[in-house]
Amino acid sequence: QKEVEQDPGPLSVPEGAIVSLNCTYSNSAFQYFMWYRQYSRKGPELLMYTYSSGNKEDGRFTAQVDKSSKYISLFIRDSQPSDSATYLCGLLRVQFYFGTGTSLTVIP
Amino acid sequence: KAGVTQTPRYLIKTRGQQVTLSCSPISGHRSVSWYQQTPGQGLQFLFEYFSETQRNKGNFPGRFSGRQFSNSRSEMNVSTLELGDSALYLCASSLATLAGSTDTQYFGPGTRLTVL
């Protein structure tokens, strides 16, 4: 069983939509959770991180962690064409573990 | 500040050959990690180097090896290439002085390796 599971998509939404990206993980020892964004032909860049259960907001982005369900989510409000990218969830336990990434396209 | 640089950006090799990829971290970063990214498996950790010592290793065969130099630059080598080694190889650097640190990893653009 993989440490982190992520729906690869692809996901295609109209501009202005709310996007929900999700990952599940298997080991309750994970305590640090991240979301990375990767544009085509670029390396991933850190979007958000959180340690605790609950929500963390940063502008149009909200990271949500539910440790009891081992479930993490990233919500994007008022999605823009510039949000079109692959989003990877990441977790840390001695080393970093990443999901396979969800490809998102926001259509103008 | 310059970001993480990787060379070459693209590489085509044939089965059985060996390849060396290079990574220059952000100035001041002593931790360098390597990842393999494929559509099916996603981003998988290969190994991490800190101050010229490998301090963490993922679950990859011994054909994958690396090293780090005194200036923190790192190289990754893959010997006896297989078709399944075709992937994007990413290098990430961070300020992390402790293994398992939460310090942000900054990724380079990657080297796209194609094995024919």
Side-chain angles (χ1 to χ4, degrees), chain A residues 12-19 78-81 104-108:
Chain A
S12 186
V13 302
E15 183 175 352
I18 296 174
V19 176
D78 187 26
S79 55
Q80 302 295 308
L104 171 67
T105 301
V106 180
I107 303 164

Side-chain angles (χ1 to χ4, degrees), chain A residues 90-104:
Chain A
L91 298 84
L92 176 63
R93 179 175 57 86
V94 183
Q95 69 188 51
F96 287 92
Y97 295 85
F98 291 91
T100 50
T102 301
S103 175
L104 171 67

Side-chain angles (χ1 to χ4, degrees), chain B residues 6-50:
Chain B
Q6 292 187 244
T7 56
R9 292 293 309 276
Y10 301 91
L11 210 46
I12 299 175
K13 293 285 189 179
T14 55
R15 276 181 300 174
Q17 287 188 307
Q18 68 96 27
V19 68
T20 299
L21 312 181
S22 182
C23 171
S24 291
I26 291 171
S27 178
H29 287 191
R30 290 157 63 193
S31 167
V32 174
S33 298
W34 287 90
Y35 293 85
Q36 181 195 68
Q37 187 175 33
T38 58
Q41 297 298 316
L43 200 55
Q44 294 188 93
F45 173 74
L46 281 154
F47 30 67
E48 180 199 8
Y49 284 86
F50 180 80

Side-chain angles (χ1 to χ4, degrees), chain A residues 2 8 32 36 38 41-46 49 51 86 88 92-101, chain B residues 9-10 35 37 39-43 45 56-58 88 90 99-105 107-109:
Chain A
K2 276 188 177 180
Y32 181 74
Y36 274 79
Q38 185 175 19
R41 284 190 281 277
K42 302 273 190 184
E45 57 176 346
L46 182 66
Y49 67 87
Y51 290 89
T86 296
L88 301 105
L92 176 63
R93 179 175 57 86
V94 183
Q95 69 188 51
F96 287 92
Y97 295 85
F98 291 91
T100 50
Chain B
R9 292 293 309 276
Y10 301 91
Y35 293 85
Q37 187 175 33
Q41 297 298 316
L43 200 55
F45 173 74
N56 211 347
K57 188 177 187 305
L88 181 68
L90 290 157
S101 167
T102 59
D103 283 294
T104 300
Q105 294 207 318
F107 284 85

Side-chain angles (χ1 to χ4, degrees), chain A residues 11 21 28 45 48 55 79 85 95 101 105:
Chain A
L11 202 54
L21 305 166
S28 58
E45 57 176 346
M48 297 183 69
N55 294 350
S79 55
Q95 69 188 51
T105 301

